[in-house]
Amino acid sequence: MGFADRLWQEYFKRIYQPHLERFVDFVESRLLKSFDNLEQEAQSRADEAWEEWGSSAGADANPGDGAADAEAAGANYYFSMIAIRQTFLNLSAVGLYHAWEQQIIEFMRKQVLPLKNQNDANLMNLSQFKKMAVEENIDVESFESWPKVDTLRILFNAIKHAEGSSAADLKGKRPDLFIAPGLAKSDFIKEYSPPVYSPLSGLDIYVTIAVLRDYCGALNKFWDELAVAMERLFSDRMREQHPE
């Protein structure tokens, strides 16, 4: 048991890293693709609303009122779906971090923890993982990937909990994530820092597919760096057991 194991290094490459990459690939190639025709869908909703108005309007009805109602129906649908699209992107950041965290815990339970502790829920957390790694001279917080991994953790918490300490921390680290797409060039928006109310309704925090790919790359770099550290530890143990 422990970190000096070569089999897990291969497992990281064959199982953990491809899973995270496929997760983001699915979000981009399938999930987001379902929102590609929003303008046409919104126009269809407007047309349906216009037809409904026409079928129920009286002889004295004002066609301008019907046209305004139809336009509003289309616009409401469009902006609602844009918010839902953003909701799924924000949820994808939560899912990506959770997937990596669960990989960490699986690795702990199956390899790092003593057999008697493998079902101890109190040990199933990132803090315990870092502590046990340090005991074997592996400081994961010194990895090049760690700053981004930790920022993803903060993003994860900000999306789940909305306004609070995590949202405040994230504003210091990634203020760009609080600017809605299309408004990034506005100096006023850059200086405006509204409360975070509804990131799971597609508001206030704005994850993009590029952001997801960037954080996925950081998580996979973490596994690469951990594999290197484990190989070094394994080699050191072998030299101790079989000195020349």
Side-chain angles (χ1 to χ4, degrees):
M1 306 301 286
F3 285 84
D5 188 287
R6 280 181 164 167
L7 292 177
W8 276 93
Q9 297 172 46
E10 184 65 20
Y11 196 81
F12 298 161
K13 292 181 180 180
R14 292 180 54 249
I15 304 298
Y16 285 173
Q17 292 173 316
H19 176 77
L20 298 177
E21 290 170 359
R22 288 167 187 152
F23 178 91
V24 178
D25 286 344
F26 178 88
V27 172
E28 182 172 25
S29 65
R30 302 199 184 187
L31 181 60
L32 295 185
K33 286 291 184 182
S34 66
F35 293 90
D36 279 354
N37 299 313
L38 289 187
E39 291 186 6
Q40 296 93 317
E41 292 173 20
Q43 184 60 55
S44 295
R45 292 299 176 101
D47 293 343
E48 291 170 6
W50 172 252
E51 291 176 4
E52 290 175 4
W53 182 88
S55 65
S56 61
D60 297 331
N62 183 351
D65 293 338
D69 289 346
E71 184 178 356
N76 288 340
Y77 175 84
Y78 180 82
F79 288 111
S80 175
M81 293 302 293
I82 287 292
I84 291 171
R85 181 182 187 276
Q86 188 62 59
T87 294
F88 279 116
L89 280 166
N90 291 351
L91 279 170
S92 295
V94 171
L96 182 65
Y97 181 79
H98 248 321
W100 173 80
E101 190 176 46
Q102 289 177 6
Q103 289 174 342
I104 290 285
I105 291 173
E106 180 187 39
F107 172 59
M108 283 180 64
R109 295 183 74 168
K110 293 182 176 180
Q111 175 60 31
V112 180
L113 288 170
L115 184 61
K116 64 179 181 180
N117 295 332
Q118 288 180 354
N119 293 314
D120 186 344
N122 293 322
L123 301 178
M124 305 302 158
N125 56 70
L126 187 58
S127 295
Q128 184 65 28
F129 172 79
K130 290 190 291 184
K131 178 182 177 181
M132 296 187 73
V134 167
E135 290 173 355
E136 298 209 46
N137 295 316
I138 297 176
D139 180 9
V140 299
E141 293 188 1
S142 71
F143 290 176
E144 289 185 11
S145 59
W146 187 255
K148 282 187 179 180
V149 171
D150 194 52
T151 300
L152 178 59
R153 176 189 63 82
I154 297 169
L155 173 60
F156 161 84
N157 283 319
I159 291 171
K160 287 205 309 178
H161 302 299
E163 188 68 7
S165 59
S166 293
D169 288 348
L170 188 63
K171 285 181 180 181
K173 294 178 179 293
R174 291 295 305 266
D176 57 301
L177 295 180
F178 297 87
I179 301 175
L183 298 178
K185 295 182 180 180
S186 169
D187 291 335
F188 171 77
I189 292 296
K190 290 178 181 178
E191 295 176 3
Y192 181 52
S193 182
V196 179
Y197 291 131
S198 306
L200 289 180
S201 294
L203 301 171
D204 305 323
I205 294 177
Y206 302 97
V207 173
T208 65
I209 192 64
V211 167
L212 282 178
R213 288 212 172 277
D214 188 40
Y215 283 127
C216 181
L219 297 179
N220 279 344
K221 185 174 182 178
F222 172 91
W223 288 122
D224 285 336
E225 291 180 291
L226 182 60
V228 169
M230 290 170 62
E231 175 62 25
R232 183 169 56 247
L233 182 62
F234 179 85
S235 298
D236 290 344
R237 296 280 170 83
M238 290 298 99
R239 281 193 294 270
E240 291 172 2
Q241 295 175 13
H242 306 285
E244 294 181 0

